Structure formats: structure tokens, C-alpha cells
Amino acid sequence: MKRELKKKKGFVLHHIVIIIMGILMFLFVGVSFMGEAQSLDKYLIANRIAGNYMKKMDSYGNGYLSEDKASKLVSDFQSNGFTNIDLTGTTMSEVDNGGDIYLDIKFDQTIKQFSFDGLKLSFQSKTVRSEIAISDTSKN
């Protein structure tokens, strides 16, 4: 008895479509994550700048943000791509030793978002309002 080998019936195309869909979903998630990571990175830069100025207020500035330091802070934020910087709520006058000091920075941040328009993939810029509020005790 001779046994013949027969090819199993199946759709190769079916498997290829599943693999392609998996690759597309992986790319979609990866590109979306890159946009979010960029947004987080920019916010961390802003937070680091704010922390540096809070140290200056705390240690060297008699517990307040002077006008020249405020203009440098705004310049630092603008050089990193932030706009519409507002320092309302920040301690701008001298505070006695042990008094509370505040650094409140509101700013606009432009982020890129990934969007699907039918089968067309695109990036859209979106402006988001963010705030960093830090408080400490004056040690002058």
C-alpha cells in the first residue's frame, strides 16, 4: 500500500491578513506612545526648571521671586517651547524666615497627537494648559 501525501486545505491569505493587522496595531500603539512620551518629557523639563527657581527663591532670594528672576524663568520656559506663561499666585515680595513661599506656574504646552481619519494616519498639534505649583518654607 502506497500512501499519498496530501496538502491540507487552508487559507494562507487568512494568516497573512492576521499578521499584517497585528503589525499595524503594534505600529499604532508605538506611535501613540511616542506622542505621549514627548508630552511627558516636556512636562518633566518644565518641572525641573520650576524646581531650580524654587531653590533660588528659598535659599538666595529672601523667600520670593524677584522681577529679574521672574523674567529669566519666563525666558527659560519660552526657550523650551512653552507659551502663555502666567506666574499668578507666586510669592513676589519678601517673606520672613519660616514663612510660606509659593511658586505657581501656568503655561501652554503643544503636544502632537496621533489620529486616524478613515485609513489615513495623521498627527495633529494640540495645545494643553498645564500648571506646576510648588510650596516651601523660607530659609533666609
Side-chain angles (χ1 to χ4, degrees):
M1 268 203 160
K2 195 172 188 187
R3 197 172 147 181
E4 291 185 31
L5 297 175
K6 291 185 179 181
K7 193 174 185 183
K8 288 184 179 181
K9 290 183 180 179
F11 292 110
V12 174
L13 182 62
H14 181 263
H15 295 294
I16 292 174
V17 169
I18 291 173
I19 291 170
I20 290 173
M21 286 178 58
I23 291 170
L24 288 176
M25 289 304 291
F26 180 74
L27 289 174
F28 174 75
V29 170
V31 170
S32 296
F33 178 73
M34 285 190 302
E36 293 300 320
Q38 179 188 21
S39 170
L40 179 62
D41 186 46
K42 288 190 71 119
Y43 184 79
L44 290 174
I45 289 169
N47 213 2
R48 186 181 60 220
I49 294 170
N52 288 339
Y53 278 89
M54 177 52 93
K55 287 177 190 173
K56 290 177 184 179
M57 289 171 61
D58 182 25
S59 300
Y60 314 112
N62 295 329
Y64 72 100
L65 187 67
S66 64
E67 288 296 323
D68 62 327
K69 296 277 188 215
S71 64
K72 287 179 183 177
L73 184 147
V74 170
S75 175
D76 285 349
F77 266 73
Q78 288 173 340
S79 67
N80 282 287
F82 302 108
T83 56
N84 197 16
I85 298 128
D86 180 17
L87 299 175
T88 304
T90 298
T91 305
M92 301 294 269
S93 58
E94 191 170 339
V95 175
D96 292 331
N97 188 20
D100 292 332
I101 56 175
Y102 302 97
L103 179 61
D104 191 7
I105 308 168
K106 297 169 196 75
F107 56 93
D108 289 341
Q109 174 180 343
T110 303
I111 60 173
K112 291 182 181 178
Q113 288 186 323
F114 181 70
S115 67
F116 251 151
D117 186 22
L119 293 176
K120 183 180 176 187
L121 307 173
S122 63
F123 283 103
Q124 294 178 342
S125 294
K126 180 180 178 184
T127 301
V128 177
R129 188 76 171 158
S130 299
E131 179 178 11
I132 297 174
I134 307 171
S135 64
D136 202 353
T137 304
S138 176
K139 300 172 189 73
N140 53 6

